[in-house]
Amino acid sequence: MAAVTSSFSLSTLSQCSQRKNLSFSSSTRFLGTNSDSFRLGPNFSLLYVAVRASDSASRVVVRCSSSLSDIPTVSETKLGFLKAYKRPIPSIYNSVLQELIVQHHLMRYKRSYQYDPVFALGFVTVYDQLMEGYPSDEDRDAIFQAYINALKEDPEQYRADAQKLEEWARAQNSTSLIEFSSREGEVEGILKDIAERAGAKGNFSYSRFFAIGLFRLLELANAMEPTILEKLCAALNVDKRSVDRDLDVYRNLLSKLVQAKELLREYVDREKKKREERSEPQKANEAITKCLGQQQISALK
Protein backbone atom coordinates (compact mmCIF):
# COMPACT_ATOMS: atom_id res chain seq x y z
CA MET A 1 0.00 0.00 0.00
CA ALA A 2 1.47 3.28 -1.03
CA ALA A 3 2.06 5.62 1.87
CA VAL A 4 1.00 9.24 1.71
CA THR A 5 4.11 11.43 1.96
CA SER A 6 4.86 15.12 2.03
CA SER A 7 5.47 15.06 -1.71
CA PHE A 8 1.75 14.53 -2.35
CA SER A 9 -0.10 17.83 -2.32
CA LEU A 10 -3.54 18.35 -3.83
CA SER A 11 -2.65 21.93 -4.66
CA THR A 12 0.33 20.84 -6.74
CA LEU A 13 -1.23 17.95 -8.63
CA SER A 14 -2.22 20.24 -11.46
CA GLN A 15 1.47 20.92 -12.06
CA CYS A 16 2.02 17.36 -13.30
CA SER A 17 2.54 18.07 -16.99
CA GLN A 18 4.91 15.30 -18.01
CA ARG A 19 3.71 13.54 -21.14
CA LYS A 20 2.59 9.94 -20.87
CA ASN A 21 0.65 7.55 -23.03
CA LEU A 22 -2.93 8.30 -22.06
CA SER A 23 -4.66 4.94 -22.19
CA PHE A 24 -7.62 4.98 -19.84
CA SER A 25 -9.01 1.48 -19.51
CA SER A 26 -12.25 0.44 -17.94
CA SER A 27 -10.27 -1.34 -15.22
CA THR A 28 -8.78 1.93 -14.00
CA ARG A 29 -10.57 3.02 -10.83
CA PHE A 30 -10.83 6.42 -9.22
CA LEU A 31 -12.10 6.26 -5.68
CA GLY A 32 -14.14 3.29 -6.84
CA THR A 33 -15.22 -0.11 -5.62
CA ASN A 34 -15.25 -3.53 -7.23
CA SER A 35 -18.83 -3.12 -8.37
CA ASP A 36 -19.35 0.60 -8.86
CA SER A 37 -17.29 3.24 -10.58
CA PHE A 38 -17.47 6.64 -12.13
CA ARG A 39 -16.20 7.06 -15.65
CA LEU A 40 -14.73 9.88 -17.66
CA GLY A 41 -16.04 9.08 -21.10
CA PRO A 42 -16.64 5.43 -22.01
CA ASN A 43 -13.31 4.07 -20.77
CA PHE A 44 -12.03 6.32 -17.97
CA SER A 45 -13.22 5.39 -14.49
CA LEU A 46 -13.28 8.50 -12.33
CA LEU A 47 -15.31 8.49 -9.18
CA TYR A 48 -17.63 6.58 -6.94
CA VAL A 49 -18.90 7.73 -3.58
CA ALA A 50 -21.22 5.96 -1.17
CA VAL A 51 -22.19 7.46 2.15
CA ARG A 52 -24.33 6.18 4.93
CA ALA A 53 -24.84 7.94 8.21
CA SER A 54 -26.36 7.60 11.62
CA ASP A 55 -29.99 7.93 12.60
CA SER A 56 -28.84 9.50 15.85
CA ALA A 57 -29.02 13.24 16.39
CA SER A 58 -25.88 15.34 16.06
CA ARG A 59 -25.05 18.59 17.74
CA VAL A 60 -23.16 19.96 14.75
CA VAL A 61 -24.03 17.81 11.73
CA VAL A 62 -27.05 18.64 9.62
CA ARG A 63 -29.31 15.64 8.95
CA CYS A 64 -31.20 15.35 5.69
CA SER A 65 -33.62 12.57 4.88
CA SER A 66 -36.45 11.86 2.50
CA SER A 67 -39.34 9.48 2.44
CA LEU A 68 -39.41 7.01 -0.42
CA SER A 69 -42.31 8.84 -2.01
CA ASP A 70 -40.25 12.04 -2.16
CA ILE A 71 -37.22 10.55 -3.89
CA PRO A 72 -36.77 11.85 -7.46
CA THR A 73 -35.35 9.66 -10.18
CA VAL A 74 -31.82 10.01 -11.50
CA SER A 75 -33.28 11.38 -14.73
CA GLU A 76 -35.16 14.07 -12.82
CA THR A 77 -32.00 15.12 -11.00
CA LYS A 78 -30.02 15.29 -14.23
CA LEU A 79 -32.86 17.20 -15.89
CA GLY A 80 -32.88 19.63 -12.98
CA PHE A 81 -29.18 20.27 -13.54
CA LEU A 82 -29.65 20.81 -17.28
CA LYS A 83 -32.54 23.21 -16.67
CA ALA A 84 -30.52 25.17 -14.12
CA TYR A 85 -27.47 25.45 -16.37
CA LYS A 86 -28.40 25.64 -20.03
CA ARG A 87 -25.09 26.69 -21.57
CA PRO A 88 -22.97 24.07 -23.39
CA ILE A 89 -20.20 22.44 -21.35
CA PRO A 90 -16.99 21.13 -23.01
CA SER A 91 -17.21 17.38 -23.37
CA ILE A 92 -14.29 16.51 -21.09
CA TYR A 93 -16.00 18.34 -18.22
CA ASN A 94 -19.56 17.38 -19.16
CA SER A 95 -18.76 13.66 -19.16
CA VAL A 96 -17.39 13.94 -15.64
CA LEU A 97 -20.29 16.02 -14.34
CA GLN A 98 -23.02 13.82 -15.81
CA GLU A 99 -21.54 10.66 -14.31
CA LEU A 100 -20.74 12.40 -11.03
CA ILE A 101 -24.27 13.65 -10.54
CA VAL A 102 -25.64 10.13 -11.05
CA GLN A 103 -23.44 8.71 -8.29
CA HIS A 104 -24.07 11.71 -6.03
CA HIS A 105 -27.82 11.24 -6.54
CA LEU A 106 -27.60 7.62 -5.36
CA MET A 107 -25.71 8.74 -2.26
CA ARG A 108 -27.97 11.73 -1.58
CA TYR A 109 -31.20 9.73 -1.55
CA LYS A 110 -30.10 6.82 0.59
CA ARG A 111 -32.45 6.38 3.54
CA SER A 112 -29.58 6.90 6.00
CA TYR A 113 -28.03 9.93 4.26
CA GLN A 114 -26.60 12.56 6.57
CA TYR A 115 -24.80 15.73 5.52
CA ASP A 116 -21.18 15.81 6.67
CA PRO A 117 -19.01 18.99 6.57
CA VAL A 118 -15.80 16.97 6.09
CA PHE A 119 -17.45 15.14 3.20
CA ALA A 120 -18.51 18.54 1.81
CA LEU A 121 -14.90 19.72 2.01
CA GLY A 122 -13.82 16.62 0.10
CA PHE A 123 -16.45 17.16 -2.60
CA VAL A 124 -15.56 20.85 -2.99
CA THR A 125 -11.88 19.91 -3.25
CA VAL A 126 -12.59 17.30 -5.94
CA TYR A 127 -14.89 19.66 -7.86
CA ASP A 128 -12.38 22.50 -7.83
CA GLN A 129 -9.58 20.20 -8.95
CA LEU A 130 -11.65 18.68 -11.74
CA MET A 131 -12.87 22.06 -12.96
CA GLU A 132 -9.51 23.81 -12.65
CA GLY A 133 -8.72 25.58 -15.90
CA TYR A 134 -12.36 25.84 -16.95
CA PRO A 135 -12.67 28.66 -19.54
CA SER A 136 -14.85 30.84 -17.30
CA ASP A 137 -14.71 31.22 -13.52
CA GLU A 138 -18.24 32.60 -13.55
CA ASP A 139 -19.54 29.57 -15.45
CA ARG A 140 -17.65 27.20 -13.16
CA ASP A 141 -19.40 28.71 -10.14
CA ALA A 142 -22.76 28.61 -11.93
CA ILE A 143 -22.26 24.92 -12.74
CA PHE A 144 -21.50 24.20 -9.07
CA GLN A 145 -24.68 26.00 -8.02
CA ALA A 146 -26.77 24.12 -10.58
CA TYR A 147 -25.21 20.79 -9.63
CA ILE A 148 -25.88 21.04 -5.88
CA ASN A 149 -29.33 22.60 -6.37
CA ALA A 150 -30.28 19.69 -8.65
CA LEU A 151 -29.63 17.41 -5.67
CA LYS A 152 -31.93 19.63 -3.57
CA GLU A 153 -29.11 20.69 -1.29
CA ASP A 154 -27.59 24.08 -0.52
CA PRO A 155 -24.47 24.99 -2.55
CA GLU A 156 -23.80 27.88 -0.21
CA GLN A 157 -23.67 25.47 2.73
CA TYR A 158 -21.16 23.26 0.90
CA ARG A 159 -18.94 26.24 0.18
CA ALA A 160 -19.37 27.80 3.61
CA ASP A 161 -18.56 24.57 5.46
CA ALA A 162 -15.59 23.88 3.21
CA GLN A 163 -14.27 27.39 3.83
CA LYS A 164 -14.88 27.07 7.57
CA LEU A 165 -12.86 23.86 7.78
CA GLU A 166 -10.12 25.27 5.56
CA GLU A 167 -9.75 28.40 7.71
CA TRP A 168 -9.65 26.27 10.84
CA ALA A 169 -7.01 23.96 9.38
CA ARG A 170 -4.75 26.87 8.39
CA ALA A 171 -4.61 27.87 12.05
CA GLN A 172 -3.59 24.37 13.20
CA ASN A 173 -0.33 22.48 13.39
CA SER A 174 0.59 18.81 13.59
CA THR A 175 -0.14 18.66 17.31
CA SER A 176 -3.34 20.70 17.55
CA LEU A 177 -4.86 18.97 14.54
CA ILE A 178 -4.87 15.55 16.14
CA GLU A 179 -5.78 16.83 19.62
CA PHE A 180 -9.16 18.23 18.60
CA SER A 181 -10.95 16.08 21.17
CA SER A 182 -9.37 18.00 24.05
CA ARG A 183 -10.53 21.42 22.82
CA GLU A 184 -13.81 23.23 22.30
CA GLY A 185 -14.94 24.88 19.07
CA GLU A 186 -17.30 24.47 16.13
CA VAL A 187 -14.95 22.44 13.96
CA GLU A 188 -13.72 20.49 16.97
CA GLY A 189 -17.36 19.59 17.63
CA ILE A 190 -17.76 18.36 14.06
CA LEU A 191 -14.71 16.12 14.39
CA LYS A 192 -15.81 14.83 17.80
CA ASP A 193 -19.19 13.87 16.37
CA ILE A 194 -17.50 12.00 13.52
CA ALA A 195 -15.24 10.16 15.98
CA GLU A 196 -18.23 9.16 18.11
CA ARG A 197 -20.26 7.87 15.18
CA ALA A 198 -17.27 6.10 13.57
CA GLY A 199 -16.41 4.46 16.88
CA ALA A 200 -19.93 3.11 17.20
CA LYS A 201 -19.20 0.47 14.52
CA GLY A 202 -22.15 0.70 12.18
CA ASN A 203 -23.10 4.26 13.04
CA PHE A 204 -20.71 5.76 10.46
CA SER A 205 -19.90 4.88 6.86
CA TYR A 206 -16.48 5.82 5.50
CA SER A 207 -16.47 7.55 2.11
CA ARG A 208 -13.85 8.52 -0.43
CA PHE A 209 -14.83 12.19 -0.38
CA PHE A 210 -14.37 12.01 3.38
CA ALA A 211 -10.78 10.79 2.88
CA ILE A 212 -10.03 13.71 0.58
CA GLY A 213 -11.57 16.11 3.10
CA LEU A 214 -9.26 14.73 5.79
CA PHE A 215 -6.21 15.10 3.60
CA ARG A 216 -7.19 18.67 2.73
CA LEU A 217 -7.15 19.46 6.45
CA LEU A 218 -3.65 17.98 6.74
CA GLU A 219 -2.43 19.88 3.72
CA LEU A 220 -3.66 23.25 4.97
CA ALA A 221 -2.23 22.61 8.45
CA ASN A 222 1.13 21.80 6.85
CA ALA A 223 1.02 18.45 8.63
CA MET A 224 1.94 16.16 5.78
CA GLU A 225 3.89 13.52 7.65
CA PRO A 226 2.36 10.04 7.27
CA THR A 227 2.42 9.61 11.05
CA ILE A 228 0.10 12.62 11.46
CA LEU A 229 -2.44 11.13 9.08
CA GLU A 230 -2.24 7.87 10.99
CA LYS A 231 -2.85 9.65 14.31
CA LEU A 232 -5.73 11.69 12.88
CA CYS A 233 -7.39 8.56 11.50
CA ALA A 234 -6.97 6.89 14.88
CA ALA A 235 -8.50 9.89 16.66
CA LEU A 236 -11.47 9.76 14.27
CA ASN A 237 -11.77 5.95 14.42
CA VAL A 238 -11.23 5.74 10.65
CA ASP A 239 -9.24 3.01 8.89
CA LYS A 240 -5.99 4.60 7.65
CA ARG A 241 -5.41 1.83 5.11
CA SER A 242 -8.60 2.82 3.31
CA VAL A 243 -7.60 6.47 3.40
CA ASP A 244 -4.12 5.71 2.00
CA ARG A 245 -5.60 3.62 -0.80
CA ASP A 246 -8.16 6.20 -1.84
CA LEU A 247 -5.75 9.14 -1.72
CA ASP A 248 -3.16 7.27 -3.77
CA VAL A 249 -5.71 6.38 -6.45
CA TYR A 250 -7.05 9.94 -6.41
CA ARG A 251 -3.58 11.36 -6.96
CA ASN A 252 -2.77 9.07 -9.87
CA LEU A 253 -6.07 9.51 -11.68
CA LEU A 254 -6.16 13.26 -11.15
CA SER A 255 -2.72 13.49 -12.74
CA LYS A 256 -4.08 11.68 -15.80
CA LEU A 257 -7.05 14.03 -15.87
CA VAL A 258 -4.67 17.00 -15.85
CA GLN A 259 -2.87 15.53 -18.85
CA ALA A 260 -6.17 14.99 -20.64
CA LYS A 261 -7.13 18.62 -20.07
CA GLU A 262 -3.75 19.72 -21.40
CA LEU A 263 -4.45 17.79 -24.60
CA LEU A 264 -7.84 19.46 -24.78
CA ARG A 265 -6.28 22.91 -24.42
CA GLU A 266 -3.77 22.09 -27.16
CA TYR A 267 -6.62 21.00 -29.42
CA VAL A 268 -8.58 24.20 -28.70
CA ASP A 269 -5.48 26.31 -29.41
CA ARG A 270 -4.87 24.52 -32.71
CA GLU A 271 -8.49 24.99 -33.80
CA LYS A 272 -8.35 28.66 -32.84
CA LYS A 273 -5.18 29.12 -34.87
CA LYS A 274 -6.76 27.38 -37.87
CA ARG A 275 -9.80 29.66 -37.67
CA GLU A 276 -7.55 32.70 -37.53
CA GLU A 277 -5.58 31.49 -40.55
CA ARG A 278 -8.77 30.88 -42.50
CA SER A 279 -10.09 34.31 -41.62
CA GLU A 280 -6.99 36.17 -42.82
CA PRO A 281 -7.71 35.81 -46.58
CA GLN A 282 -11.29 36.89 -45.96
CA LYS A 283 -10.14 39.96 -44.05
CA ALA A 284 -7.70 40.77 -46.84
CA ASN A 285 -10.46 40.52 -49.45
CA GLU A 286 -12.71 42.74 -47.37
CA ALA A 287 -9.95 45.32 -47.05
CA ILE A 288 -9.35 45.29 -50.82
CA THR A 289 -13.06 45.61 -51.55
CA LYS A 290 -13.35 48.53 -49.14
CA CYS A 291 -10.34 50.23 -50.67
CA LEU A 292 -11.68 49.80 -54.24
CA GLY A 293 -15.03 51.14 -53.14
CA GLN A 294 -13.44 54.25 -51.70
CA GLN A 295 -11.47 54.76 -54.90
CA GLN A 296 -14.62 54.53 -57.01
CA ILE A 297 -16.37 57.08 -54.79
CA SER A 298 -13.39 59.41 -55.13
CA ALA A 299 -13.41 59.03 -58.92
CA LEU A 300 -17.11 59.93 -59.11
CA LYS A 301 -16.45 63.11 -57.16
Side-chain angles (χ1 to χ4, degrees):
M1 187 65 63
V4 180
T5 67
S6 58
S7 63
F8 171 25
S9 171
L10 294 181
S11 62
T12 59
L13 285 177
S14 60
Q15 304 300 320
C16 301
S17 59
Q18 58 268 33
R19 289 303 187 85
K20 296 179 181 179
N21 183 22
L22 297 179
S23 56
F24 305 144
S25 67
S26 59
S27 62
T28 305
R29 298 277 176 176
F30 178 67
L31 310 185
T33 67
N34 290 332
S35 60
D36 297 282
S37 67
F38 181 71
R39 304 177 186 279
L40 171 62
N43 295 316
F44 183 25
S45 175
L46 185 63
L47 184 59
Y48 171 79
V49 176
V51 174
R52 290 181 299 175
S54 168
D55 290 332
S56 62
S58 169
R59 59 181 176 275
V60 291
V61 177
V62 178
R63 177 171 174 77
C64 302
S65 61
S66 300
S67 65
L68 292 176
S69 61
D70 295 333
I71 297 177
T73 64
V74 171
S75 296
E76 288 171 338
T77 297
K78 294 178 70 174
L79 182 60
F81 171 70
L82 295 174
K83 286 183 176 179
Y85 189 81
K86 299 179 180 179
R87 301 185 63 180
I89 301 174
S91 59
I92 191 171
Y93 299 100
N94 192 48
S95 297
V96 173
L97 291 168
Q98 291 298 321
E99 294 283 355
L100 181 59
I101 202 169
V102 170
Q103 298 300 332
H104 204 152
H105 170 99
L106 298 177
M107 176 275 295
R108 165 69 176 88
Y109 292 105
K110 281 183 176 292
R111 184 187 295 273
S112 57
Y113 174 72
Q114 181 170 304
Y115 177 82
D116 184 337
V118 176
F119 175 85
L121 173 61
F123 173 79
V124 169
T125 299
V126 170
Y127 180 87
D128 289 345
Q129 288 286 335
L130 294 177
M131 299 297 285
E132 184 179 14
Y134 197 79
S136 168
D137 291 341
E138 182 179 353
D139 288 343
R140 182 176 58 201
D141 292 340
I143 292 171
F144 181 86
Q145 294 275 337
Y147 177 99
I148 300 298
N149 282 327
L151 291 162
K152 301 186 185 302
E153 291 194 309
D154 185 357
E156 300 301 330
Q157 183 180 27
Y158 268 73
R159 287 292 185 186
D161 284 344
Q163 182 178 359
K164 181 193 308 175
L165 266 62
E166 287 178 345
E167 291 175 352
W168 177 84
R170 290 188 180 97
Q172 307 305 310
N173 55 44
S174 299
T175 301
S176 63
L177 189 67
I178 61 177
E179 294 180 350
F180 62 85
S181 61
S182 64
R183 305 198 316 273
E184 297 298 325
E186 185 176 6
V187 175
E188 286 84 355
I190 291 172
L191 298 179
K192 289 177 187 178
D193 177 82
I194 291 171
E196 290 175 5
R197 291 187 289 114
K201 303 300 182 183
N203 203 28
F204 173 80
S205 180
Y206 167 82
S207 72
R208 280 70 177 181
F209 276 142
F210 181 86
I212 296 170
L214 282 187
F215 190 82
R216 181 63 173 157
L217 295 178
L218 291 170
E219 182 185 34
L220 293 172
N222 195 25
M224 302 292 291
E225 300 88 350
T227 56
I228 302 302
L229 175 60
E230 183 175 2
K231 291 178 181 179
L232 181 59
C233 289
L236 290 168
N237 298 310
V238 175
D239 182 13
K240 180 179 180 292
R241 291 175 299 177
S242 297
V243 174
D244 283 341
R245 180 188 64 243
D246 292 332
L247 291 177
D248 189 58
V249 174
Y250 174 66
R251 175 189 61 187
N252 293 333
L253 269 296
L254 188 57
S255 296
K256 291 184 178 181
L257 180 65
V258 169
Q259 294 175 48
K261 288 194 286 189
E262 286 179 354
L263 294 178
L264 175 64
R265 284 194 292 269
E266 291 178 3
Y267 171 79
V268 171
D269 290 341
R270 287 198 303 270
E271 291 300 308
K272 182 179 179 181
K273 185 176 181 180
K274 288 179 181 179
R275 288 195 298 270
E276 291 175 350
E277 291 175 348
R278 287 195 296 266
S279 66
E280 287 178 358
Q282 181 178 354
K283 291 180 179 179
N285 291 334
E286 291 175 353
I288 293 172
T289 301
K290 182 177 180 180
C291 181
L292 292 174
Q294 291 176 344
Q295 290 178 353
Q296 291 175 353
I297 292 175
S298 298
L300 292 175
K301 292 182 179 179

